Amino acid sequence: NMSNILTQTESTDSDGNTTYYTVFSGLFAEVTLNKRLNLKLLIHSDKGVLGKLFKGSNRVNMDSQEFEKIFDVTASDKIQAMQLLTADVMADLIDFKEKSKRRFEMTIKGNKLYFRFHCGNVFERAAFKDDLDFKTLLNYFTYLDFCCEVSKKIYNLVQDTDL
């Protein structure tokens, strides 16, 4: 499943004026895995030194320095996290991040794999623009292809590994 999501929070001041703040605007995808894992794994954009200090004991140090520069990983089970984040999965995440220049998160929880792309409204029709122009179609394809490829690798790892 994949859809555009807009979440906002509402704040009302003492004068009764209401303001809306965007919490998230982008693309959200959910993939069902073939096995339920006793794991909560979160991969998100690197928060720098302070982010690393406050992650505590759930922080996972990955083998790739390049990956560590771009992403922070937290997991309830570090060994399972390392089994799922193979070199080729990390390479796919790095490649997508560098090509798309988009901030995104990937979460595995139970038998679900979630992607959250901070990209605004991807599928909404643009005014005065052809919906089927090459750039628009390539944008759609890039997100879909990335989710499919990473999901397939994770799915196969879950299937083939004793997790």
Side-chain angles (χ1 to χ4, degrees):
N1 298 322
M2 183 177 275
S3 63
N4 282 315
I5 301 287
L6 172 64
T7 56
Q8 295 180 320
T9 185
E10 180 181 310
S11 176
T12 305
D13 65 17
S14 59
D15 295 330
N17 299 318
T18 302
T19 305
Y20 295 92
Y21 299 97
T22 298
V23 176
F24 173 75
S25 176
L27 193 60
F28 183 82
E30 174 190 85
V31 177
T32 302
L33 299 172
N34 52 333
K35 188 189 296 184
R36 179 171 294 283
L37 302 175
N38 188 21
L39 171 72
K40 183 175 181 186
L41 170 71
L42 173 63
I43 301 160
H44 55 87
S45 297
D46 183 76
K47 303 279 193 244
V49 174
L50 288 177
K52 289 181 184 358
L53 290 175
F54 293 111
K55 287 300 171 198
S57 62
N58 288 339
R59 183 167 171 4
V60 180
N61 293 314
M62 303 307 297
D63 294 336
S64 167
Q65 288 182 347
E66 184 179 10
F67 188 83
E68 283 282 327
K69 288 179 193 173
I70 300 171
F71 298 104
D72 286 334
V73 177
T74 57
S76 59
D77 185 319
K78 293 178 182 184
I79 293 172
Q80 282 186 349
M82 298 291 279
Q83 289 174 314
L84 292 173
L85 293 176
T86 60
D88 60 327
V89 171
M90 287 191 291
D92 286 350
L93 297 175
I94 291 168
D95 188 51
F96 180 80
K97 174 71 175 170
E98 289 177 346
K99 286 181 180 175
S100 71
K101 305 289 189 238
R102 296 283 182 196
R103 194 168 55 114
F104 71 94
E105 291 94 31
M106 185 177 100
T107 302
I108 297 174
K109 185 175 182 182
N111 70 332
K112 299 290 185 180
L113 170 60
Y114 303 102
F115 295 93
R116 192 168 79 149
F117 301 95
H118 298 261
C119 57
N121 201 341
V122 174
F123 297 125
E124 187 171 302
R125 185 171 192 254
F128 309 110
K129 185 177 172 186
D130 180 9
D131 289 337
L132 300 178
D133 70 273
F134 179 77
K135 186 177 179 182
T136 301
L137 291 175
L138 180 62
N139 192 33
Y140 294 168
F141 174 78
T142 301
Y143 287 110
L144 291 169
D145 183 57
F146 172 72
C147 288
C148 287
E149 288 302 312
V150 171
S151 297
K152 186 172 24 172
K153 287 178 181 176
I154 297 291
Y155 185 94
N156 289 335
L157 286 165
V158 168
Q159 181 75 23
D160 299 338
T161 308
D162 185 28
L163 294 172

